[in-house]
Structure formats: structure tokens, C-alpha cells
Amino acid sequence: MNGLQAVKAGVVFFLLAVTAWTDLCKRRIPNRILGAGLLLWAVFFLWNCIKLEERAFVSMGRELAGSLLLVFGLCCLAVLSRYAIGFGDVKLLGITALYVGAGPAFCSLCCGLLMAGG
């Protein structure tokens, strides 16, 4: 894990911790927290653009495409399940997928659904 990945992991941990605490206390996920996470991801993206790493463009594009696909699927699931999954959860998972990738985010979704169902 290089330095940038460690910083991104720290941001994701802090974002999820603040979101979990707010969700437990207020039963909702504020868009301000999610917007801050998206803004920080944009800073990471710009940093990679400034460094002009070719791999960075491919990696960030893959993260963005996977995140959008995951959010689209979860939006459909939220509507079909009569809002059993809230749209705050959908947005949070989409932002998390930007940082860690769609595969690990989908795995965390599946584990969370299994724990909630149990």
C-alpha cells in the first residue's frame, strides 16, 4: 500500500465512522457528509491528473464506472424493494466504491445484507 492508498483508506474509514454515528443518532445520512467524501475523491482525482500517471486515469475511470454501475443497480433495488434500502445508503456505497473499487464495495454490501437479514 503506497502513501496515497493509505490516505484514501483513512478517508474512507473516517467517512464511514462519521456516517455510522450520524445514522445511529438521527436515522439518516446527511448529504453534507457524502458531499465532503465526494469532494475529497475529486481532490485525489485532480492530484492524479497533476501527476499525469497513465495508470491513474485508468484506475480512476474504472472506479467511477464501477461506482456508477453499482449505484444504478442499488437504485433499482431500492425502488423495487419499496425503499427497504434508503437512498442515503445507496449514495454512501457509491462513494465508498469510488475509493475502494466496485468489487470490494459490492462484497461489503453483500456481507451487510447477510448480517442484517440474520
Side-chain angles (χ1 to χ4, degrees):
M1 178 180 292
N2 65 22
L4 185 61
Q5 288 175 336
V7 172
K8 285 172 73 174
V11 168
V12 168
F13 177 78
F14 181 74
L15 177 71
L16 291 176
V18 169
T19 304
W21 179 258
T22 306
D23 194 21
L24 282 172
C25 294
K26 297 182 180 180
R27 304 286 298 161
R28 54 177 293 140
I29 300 173
N31 286 334
R32 287 180 293 173
I33 296 172
L34 300 174
L38 188 60
L39 183 66
L40 285 173
W41 182 82
V43 169
F44 290 127
F45 180 75
L46 289 175
W47 176 257
N48 282 333
C49 289
I50 290 170
K51 289 173 48 177
L52 293 176
E53 291 183 12
E54 187 174 321
R55 294 178 307 161
F57 290 119
V58 173
S59 175
M60 294 298 234
R62 188 178 305 134
E63 290 172 357
L64 184 60
S67 178
L68 290 174
L69 185 64
L70 192 61
V71 165
F72 176 74
L74 283 176
C75 282
C76 293
L77 183 64
V79 170
L80 292 175
S81 67
R82 299 179 193 233
Y83 302 101
I85 297 174
F87 280 100
D89 299 322
V90 171
K91 292 182 280 188
L92 177 63
L93 190 68
I95 291 174
T96 304
L98 285 174
Y99 283 97
V100 298
F106 184 73
C107 182
S108 69
L109 170 70
C110 291
C111 291
L113 289 174
L114 285 174
M115 287 190 293

